Amino acid sequence: EDKVVQSPLSLVVHEGDTVTLNCSYEVTNFRSLLWYKQEKKAPTFLFMLTSSGIEKKSGRLSSILDKKELSSILNITATQTGDSAIYLCAVELLNAGNMLTFGGGTRLMVKP
Amino acid sequence: DAGVIQSPRHEVTEMGQEVTLRCKPISGHNSLFWYRQTMMRGLELLIYFNNNVPIDDSGMPEDRFSAKMPNASFSTLKIQPSEPRDSAVYFCASRRDRGSNQPQHFGDGTRLSIL
């Protein structure tokens, strides 16, 4: 059975801290790994990773995939209260209609 | 650009009633996905359509759940009869298959409460 596991489950930090969120997966026919941010409503797309070792960056957020270790990390530097959200990792499978299998998410709270 | 549009935003109804959730995907997207999110089980895929055709409905929990996509711009998810354990947030997402590396884009969800 395909499985995506995220850690930690939750995290509380103060503004300015750097955080690292983890995602590991056990799936057949891996195609890509995606990160989403969910505040109160819709999950919003952050990154899609297909190649190992290539960092994707958007402002203070960055992510990298390690296909050998079957994992990915999402880094957030200089955190702000607006970064408080649930961060979801999902794995897209080949030949499965691009279906996504989601992890349980990491709930991040950034305190002022 | 309009995103994925879902309605209603909230629905509260008594068990046994029929519930219909609606979704309008992003124009030009040819895959549509219905998800359910709960605290216990996270985000689970219920069914997905490609070019209006249901491709995989293995995530649909029971026969009480059904989904349709009569055209490229509209889909419904129906629960009949509804039960309290169906209470969850239901998300619709769409994706453009043409070209590579296109992510799914989510609507704001319908928060469903069955009393």
Side-chain angles (χ1 to χ4, degrees):
Chain A
E1 184 183 336
D2 297 322
K3 192 164 58 172
V4 179
V5 177
Q6 291 185 245
S7 64
L9 288 180
S10 65
L11 194 53
V12 181
V13 300
H14 288 94
E15 274 193 318
D17 289 350
T18 293
V19 297
T20 298
L21 310 183
N22 300 286
C23 176
S24 63
Y25 58 91
E26 290 179 30
V27 302
T28 52
N29 298 322
F30 174 90
R31 176 177 177 153
S32 65
L33 184 144
L34 293 86
W35 285 96
Y36 286 84
K37 177 183 181 182
Q38 186 177 23
E39 296 175 84
K40 293 183 180 174
K41 300 178 185 175
T44 54
F45 172 72
L46 294 174
F47 299 112
M48 177 184 274
L49 305 161
T50 54
S51 301
S52 207
I54 299 174
E55 184 183 57
K56 290 219 173 174
K57 202 169 168 63
S58 176
R60 297 176 294 103
L61 276 67
S62 63
S63 184
I64 196 162
L65 175 67
D66 185 339
K67 284 186 177 180
K68 188 176 175 185
E69 295 296 325
L70 306 182
S71 64
S72 173
I73 59 171
L74 175 69
N75 280 321
I76 309 175
T77 58
T79 52
Q80 302 171 358
T81 55
D83 296 326
S84 297
I86 297 173
Y87 290 84
L88 296 165
C89 170
V91 172
E92 184 182 36
L93 306 178
L94 264 172
N95 300 324
N98 308 115
M99 293 195 299
L100 297 179
T101 299
F102 279 87
T106 293
R107 184 180 293 273
L108 173 66
M109 180 181 292
V110 182
K111 291 187 171 181
Chain B
D1 285 343
V4 176
I5 299 171
Q6 291 187 244
S7 64
R9 295 292 304 277
H10 304 274
E11 174 92 12
V12 181
T13 192
E14 293 186 345
M15 65 178 291
Q17 297 297 308
E18 177 178 293
V19 172
T20 299
L21 311 181
R22 296 172 177 79
C23 175
K24 177 178 167 56
I26 294 171
S27 178
H29 285 196
N30 58 322
S31 285
L32 182 141
F33 305 81
W34 281 101
Y35 292 88
R36 177 171 68 176
Q37 187 176 39
T38 61
M39 289 289 290
M40 291 294 293
R41 300 173 69 90
L43 255 174
E44 302 175 284
L45 178 68
L46 299 177
I47 185 171
Y48 88 94
F49 295 83
N50 185 258
N51 295 322
N52 313 339
V53 176
I55 303 299
D56 190 322
D57 65 355
S58 58
M60 296 283 260
E62 298 171 33
D63 290 346
R64 299 183 296 106
F65 285 68
S66 62
K68 293 183 180 179
M69 192 164 185
N71 57 63
S73 58
F74 183 65
S75 177
T76 60
L77 178 68
K78 189 172 292 188
I79 308 173
Q80 166 63 19
S82 57
E83 295 183 5
R85 61 193 166 122
D86 301 331
S87 299
V89 181
Y90 290 80
F91 286 102
C92 176
S94 71
R95 179 185 183 278
R96 182 196 306 271
D97 280 348
R98 299 177 192 89
S100 60
N101 299 337
Q102 298 294 320
Q104 292 181 23
H105 295 271
F106 285 76
D108 282 345
T110 294
R111 184 173 294 276
L112 177 64
S113 297
I114 308 296
L115 307 177

